[in-house]
Amino acid sequence: MTAATTGPSRRRHDREILALAVPAFGALVAEPLFLMADSAIVGHLGTPELAGVGVAAAALSTATGVFVFLAYATTAAVARRIGAGDRRAAVQQGVDGIWLALGLSVGVVALTLLLAPWAADVLGASDTAAPYAVTYLRISSLGIPAMLMVMAATGVLRGLQDTRTPLVVAVAGFAANIGLNVGLVYGAGLGVAGSAWGTVLAQTGMAAVYVVVVVRGARRERASLRPDLTGIRASARAGGPLLVRTVSLRAVLMIATAVAARLGDTQVAAHQIAMTLFSFLAFALDAIAIAGQAIIGRYLGASDVPGAKAATRRMVEWGIGAGVVLGLLVVVARPLYVPLFTPDPVVRAQLDTALLLLALTQPLSGLVFVLDGVLMGAGDGPYLAWAMLATLAVFAPAALAVPATGAGLAGLWWAMNLFMLVRAGFMVLRTRSGRWLVTGAVRG
């Protein structure tokens, strides 16, 4: 441990990490609550309606989730400019990212409207649920421009070292979503369509708030609000590798679900519960990663390599420590949360094994998430893309072999742990190499 990570410097890093990570965690948790609220409200309409919304939600999250690079790439680019002391260029970079989000959303909306029946069929919607899935998906697609704009604008504010505003907007949006859903589903009698319209309106309101915030910032810094093709192309180039990374990551999760489905109904039920917990734990660890994106981008923009290294060391300590705590909670709190998911003793028996394996890997996950955020903050997207593709190449055969070997759900979760171990190896190798420490307002 060097002097850079002890005493006052350590406390300064702690304050900075917590100031960014805690609000980021709140915002991350608020986002999936949109779909959870929809499901809870629609669930009282009937089983086919709930099944339809469930299928549509899966399709919608996939269609928009791959564009999370709009937040990640924008955070890193804006933070670099802030570190270099050029706030006007930082805001301009954010404006370009928002225009990119709008441009991408046109194609996504068109494809979603066109392919909604096909998506419902591919995702296994029954004949009774399919009409509701198509209705929800087509109406919800109209909110995709707002969703992508929110991603990009969130990245702008994170790059500006502000994670509190996204938290406030996310909480307000969640509250508005519940009110609109209840009013439109039951008050107006619109059913599933009302739920979709409520979410679209809430998302549009969130996007409008972000637009006001960014426009005010642009005017204050005298940055242009007009679309700049050069800046938009630069944002797209930075985001391209992160798109590859995200698609590869989603492929891992899809393969895991497909393998669990082949193992049997009991196994896939236990797997889905374990994956729900996996996702929630990921939000907690990803909050530190988001802090890493903003902090490392700023340090490298300021050409402060020692500061970037010291902050990285401290965030790694936070990530591993948080992973240890979360892993222990997964094990110790099982009697409290498992009954909330299933009363089936057979499913619980399968789930116990998966949860122990999930808990085992949490400290490693903490390391992976933090270093992932650090490398994103450094703008090291191409390496992250290749590393995730290579990790997918290792994971896929290991997971696909599970049904043939008879290893069951335990075998699948050992494969998931292998995925995290390989990913950690790539992250550690890169950070130790120092090749990610590229300084300056723009990564060359």
Side-chain angles (χ1 to χ4, degrees):
M1 185 80 60
T2 65
T5 55
T6 59
S9 180
R10 176 193 289 264
R11 289 192 292 272
R12 177 171 58 83
H13 286 308
D14 288 347
R15 286 194 298 270
E16 188 172 41
I17 292 166
L18 288 173
L20 292 170
V22 172
F25 174 68
L28 287 169
V29 171
E31 290 173 10
L33 291 178
F34 271 97
L35 295 176
M36 289 177 63
D38 287 359
S39 297
I41 293 168
V42 170
H44 293 283
L45 296 175
T47 300
E49 288 88 345
L50 180 58
V53 170
V55 168
L60 190 64
S61 63
T62 299
T64 57
V66 296
F67 296 106
V68 72
F69 72 84
L70 289 167
Y72 294 162
T74 303
T75 297
V78 171
R80 273 185 176 270
R81 300 279 193 178
I82 289 295
D86 193 345
R87 194 172 182 87
R88 179 180 178 278
V91 175
Q92 186 66 62
Q93 185 84 48
V95 171
D96 293 336
I98 293 173
W99 279 113
L100 174 62
L102 276 174
L104 290 171
S105 68
V106 174
V108 181
V109 170
L111 286 173
T112 305
L113 288 170
L114 179 65
L115 299 177
W118 174 84
D121 182 59
V122 167
L123 291 173
S126 66
D127 291 340
T128 54
Y132 298 111
V134 172
T135 295
Y136 187 92
L137 191 53
R138 281 181 166 163
I139 295 173
S140 295
S141 70
L142 301 179
I144 288 176
M147 294 171 70
L148 298 192
M149 285 179 65
V150 166
M151 287 185 189
T154 299
V156 176
L157 294 177
R158 288 172 180 169
L160 294 171
Q161 316 296 297
D162 176 10
T163 57
R164 293 185 179 182
T165 300
L167 172 61
V168 172
V169 175
V171 171
F174 172 61
N177 184 53
I178 292 178
L180 287 166
N181 271 262
V182 171
L184 294 174
V185 171
Y186 300 118
L190 296 180
V192 167
S195 177
W197 279 117
T199 301
V200 169
L201 291 172
Q203 290 164 341
T204 302
M206 291 171 65
V209 171
Y210 276 122
V211 167
V212 170
V213 172
V214 172
V215 167
R216 285 180 178 175
R219 287 176 176 170
R220 186 168 54 249
E221 303 300 332
R222 298 183 179 180
S224 173
L225 292 170
R226 295 179 180 178
D228 177 66
L229 292 180
T230 301
I232 293 172
R233 282 196 295 267
S235 294
R237 281 196 301 272
L242 295 181
L243 175 62
V244 173
R245 166 206 169 270
T246 302
V247 170
S248 301
L249 176 58
R250 286 192 169 268
V252 167
L253 302 180
M254 289 174 65
I255 289 171
T257 300
V259 169
R262 292 182 185 179
L263 297 176
D265 290 347
T266 299
Q267 287 83 353
V268 74
H271 175 74
Q272 287 305 109
I273 294 171
M275 284 303 300
T276 299
L277 291 170
F278 176 90
S279 298
F280 181 78
L281 296 172
F283 285 132
L285 298 174
D286 206 29
I288 305 174
I290 286 170
Q293 294 171 28
I295 293 169
I296 296 303
R298 193 191 73 235
Y299 273 120
L300 293 180
S303 298
D304 185 357
V305 171
K309 288 182 176 179
T312 298
R313 283 192 293 269
R314 190 56 181 151
M315 282 185 286
V316 165
E317 292 170 0
W318 269 97
I320 294 174
V324 171
V325 172
L326 292 173
L328 290 173
L329 284 174
V330 168
V331 175
V332 174
R334 279 179 299 169
L336 298 177
Y337 65 80
V338 169
L340 299 176
F341 289 101
T342 177
D344 190 331
V346 181
V347 173
R348 289 187 184 184
Q350 291 282 338
L351 182 58
D352 271 348
T353 302
L355 291 178
L356 289 174
L357 291 170
L358 172 62
L360 180 65
T361 195
Q362 284 309 294
L364 189 64
S365 296
L367 173 68
V368 167
F369 275 75
V370 167
L371 293 183
D372 194 47
V374 165
L375 295 180
M376 282 186 192
D380 206 15
Y383 179 83
L384 291 173
W386 285 111
M388 189 60 78
L389 283 171
T391 304
L392 173 61
V394 174
F395 169 79
L400 293 173
V402 168
T405 61
L409 191 61
L412 176 58
W413 276 88
W414 275 116
M416 289 291 292
N417 285 4
L418 173 65
F419 158 68
M420 294 304 299
L421 181 62
V422 173
R423 195 176 172 196
F426 280 118
M427 297 295 177
V428 170
L429 285 174
R430 186 62 169 181
T431 51
R432 285 187 173 178
S433 74
R435 294 177 184 175
W436 56 282
L437 291 164
V438 179
T439 59
V442 179
R443 184 183 172 100

